[in-house]
Amino acid sequence: MGHPPIRCDGLSKFYGEIGALRNVTLTLEEGEVLALVGPSGSGKSTLLRLVAGFESPDAGTVALRGRVISGAGQWAPPEERRLGMVFQDYALFPHMTVLQNVAFGLKDHPKRDRADRATAMLSLVRLSQMGARYPDQLSGGEQQRVALARSLAAEPRALLLDEPFSNLDPHLRAGLRVEVRRILRTSGVSAIYVTHDQEEALFMGDRVAVLNSGALEQVGSPEEMFHRPRSRFVARFLGTADFLRARMVGGCLETEIGRLEGPGSLDGGAVVDVGVRPDDVAMGRDANGVGVVVGRVFRGTHYLYTVALPSGAQVRSLQHHTAHYDDGEVVDVRLEPDQSLMCFLDDEAGETGLTARTLPAS
Ligand code: ADP
Ligand code: MG
């Protein structure tokens, strides 16, 4: 096995008092798209700037294919790193045609190859017909595809994309996401894809890395991150999650809306928070139920209900659009059977998620 395209080791960056990046260790593997996601200000762009060489770290190193190029007394300027970049507002040259824009950066190639390669890249992003146009004759989405083609043309060792679609309207973004995913997979390039949008991260990434206030919370496959979050932060950030107090009694975790088996590692009397997603919570009309409907959001095919429980906690439940409940209506609420749920110990600091299973359907 060769060295990975990019490896960050114990990377830290401070702006005055602000720890924009704190001790981040992260590897981009060969051929993968790593989605880097976190709220605004969590350090995503800082990490990309450190990798690209626009900033130098206060601690830690960046290595490209095993060679340290930032930190530990080493430094390679951006142009020597041969990384491709696509930013939100990484403008094309307005006075050059689309094809000339793509060919830019292929100066080392023989002239003939340059045109061939630029043409091939335009075809990859499905803009072959647009080569003679100027950037201002293209839509925003098309411009970003040209920027992508231009970056890929130079055969970068890896591609860094920083919220490339955040200036585009949401409707366009959905389509472009699919297209860019296809382009990245087809070209086989290794890429770090930065976004603040959890849905986009789960869709784009072979793996997803979550940043929280400059620190890396968790890295894993999209499914693992969604279903096995190791912290409440990740659970909340990558989807809707509510937390229910639970106590270990006789080998079971008891919540106010149902019991779970295990986890075996917990002692009797232990108290944890169980994370539940809206599809883990069943509800039904029942005048003797323990829940009261306090909110409803229409989502087209579904309603998302918020239900208040006797303890004062609230849970959300996803219901088909044919299931109507009124505010103030008393309902029965239960954990869906046979679900694997995450449990979090009360100590947020060194939080590690445990799993427990709701009881089977009887
Ligand atoms: P993100 O891309 O996740 O939105 P950034 O990496 O841009 O976050 O910023 C992380 C933190 O570092 C923020 O608190 C931001 O205000 C701060 N920061 C970023 N760049 C600078 C800078 N050049 N000077 C001072 N503070 C900065
Ligand atoms: Mg940013």
Side-chain angles (χ1 to χ4, degrees):
M1 278 300 290
H3 291 287
I6 298 175
R7 179 168 168 83
C8 302
D9 228 308
L11 212 53
S12 295
K13 180 73 186 175
F14 289 87
Y15 295 108
E17 295 286 280
I18 298 170
L21 215 57
R22 295 185 284 151
N23 196 24
V24 168
T25 295
L26 187 63
T27 301
L28 176 69
E29 304 290 351
E30 185 71 57
E32 81 170 342
V33 176
L34 178 67
L36 182 62
V37 65
S40 175
S42 58
K44 305 180 297 295
S45 295
T46 300
L47 186 122
L48 283 202
R49 287 199 301 270
L50 287 168
V51 170
F54 302 145
E55 306 260 16
S56 57
D58 292 315
T61 55
V62 179
L64 300 182
R65 297 237 174 262
R67 186 185 146 222
V68 174
I69 41 89
S70 275
Q74 304 294 314
W75 180 254
E79 61 276 13
E80 280 177 23
R81 301 188 181 198
R82 291 195 33 235
L83 297 167
M85 264 156 290
V86 181
F87 294 152
Q88 175 184 318
D89 44 19
Y90 197 20
L92 300 171
F93 301 112
H95 58 285
M96 289 185 190
T97 65
V98 163
L99 194 65
Q100 287 166 341
N101 263 282
V102 176
F104 184 86
L106 290 174
K107 292 190 207 66
D108 301 339
H109 290 58
K111 210 162 195 173
R112 220 208 112 64
D113 289 6
R114 227 186 288 168
D116 286 353
R117 180 144 181 86
T119 305
M121 286 302 118
L122 262 194
S123 159
L124 175 68
V125 301
R126 294 191 170 140
L127 290 174
S128 297
Q129 314 304 316
M130 308 275 187
R133 290 207 196 173
Y134 287 87
D136 67 357
Q137 297 171 310
L138 301 182
S139 72
E142 287 164 348
Q143 288 183 31
Q144 280 302 61
R145 276 150 68 196
V146 175
L148 188 57
R150 181 172 65 182
S151 295
L152 288 171
E155 296 183 78
R157 298 152 110 173
L159 197 59
L160 309 175
L161 303 104
D162 195 349
E163 311 214 19
F165 312 137
S166 51
N167 276 346
L168 305 175
D169 77 64
H171 194 69
L172 266 178
R173 278 166 69 168
L176 207 54
R177 212 184 264 175
V178 176
E179 184 62 8
V180 169
R181 189 174 193 267
R182 181 193 65 78
I183 295 165
L184 295 178
R185 295 298 189 288
T186 307
S187 69
V189 71
S190 317
I192 301 180
Y193 186 98
V194 162
T195 175
H196 64 269
D197 180 328
Q198 46 96 5
E199 219 178 284
E200 193 161 286
L202 293 173
F203 176 78
M204 292 298 294
D206 296 307
R207 288 191 306 149
V208 176
V210 174
L211 276 180
N212 178 17
S213 305
L216 189 64
E217 287 267 331
Q218 190 177 347
V219 194
S221 72
E223 291 79 5
E224 200 178 326
M225 299 295 285
F226 190 80
H227 293 297
R228 299 272 173 274
R230 279 209 300 265
S231 65
R232 270 167 264 224
F233 179 85
V234 172
R236 272 194 220 101
F237 191 72
L238 294 182
T240 306
D242 296 303
F243 298 93
L244 291 171
R245 259 300 132 94
R247 180 184 293 274
M248 272 307 262
V249 179
C252 278
L253 271 177
E254 289 188 349
T255 77
E256 56 187 319
I257 59 169
R259 293 198 298 171
L260 303 98
E261 285 165 1
S265 56
L266 290 180
D267 295 332
V271 173
V272 299
D273 283 336
V274 175
V276 292
R277 303 230 185 251
D279 55 324
D280 298 324
V281 179
M283 64 187 276
R285 196 160 268 116
D286 183 351
N288 298 315
V290 298
V292 178
V293 174
V294 295
R296 175 173 73 188
V297 176
F298 181 51
R299 291 208 174 157
T301 57
H302 289 84
Y303 283 114
L304 184 66
Y305 287 98
T306 303
V307 180
L309 302 176
S311 67
Q314 298 190 341
V315 285
R316 282 164 289 184
S317 173
L318 195 65
Q319 297 293 314
H320 196 251
H321 70 88
T322 54
H324 287 269
Y325 301 94
D326 292 320
D327 264 14
E329 198 165 334
V330 175
V331 289
D332 183 39
V333 202
R334 285 170 200 285
L335 295 176
E336 289 278 2
D338 269 319
Q339 300 300 309
S340 202
L341 303 182
M342 299 304 302
C343 313
F344 300 98
L345 300 173
D346 219 18
D347 162 31
E348 287 247 7
E351 197 163 62
T352 44
L354 302 165
T355 55
R357 227 177 149 71
T358 57
L359 303 181
S362 48

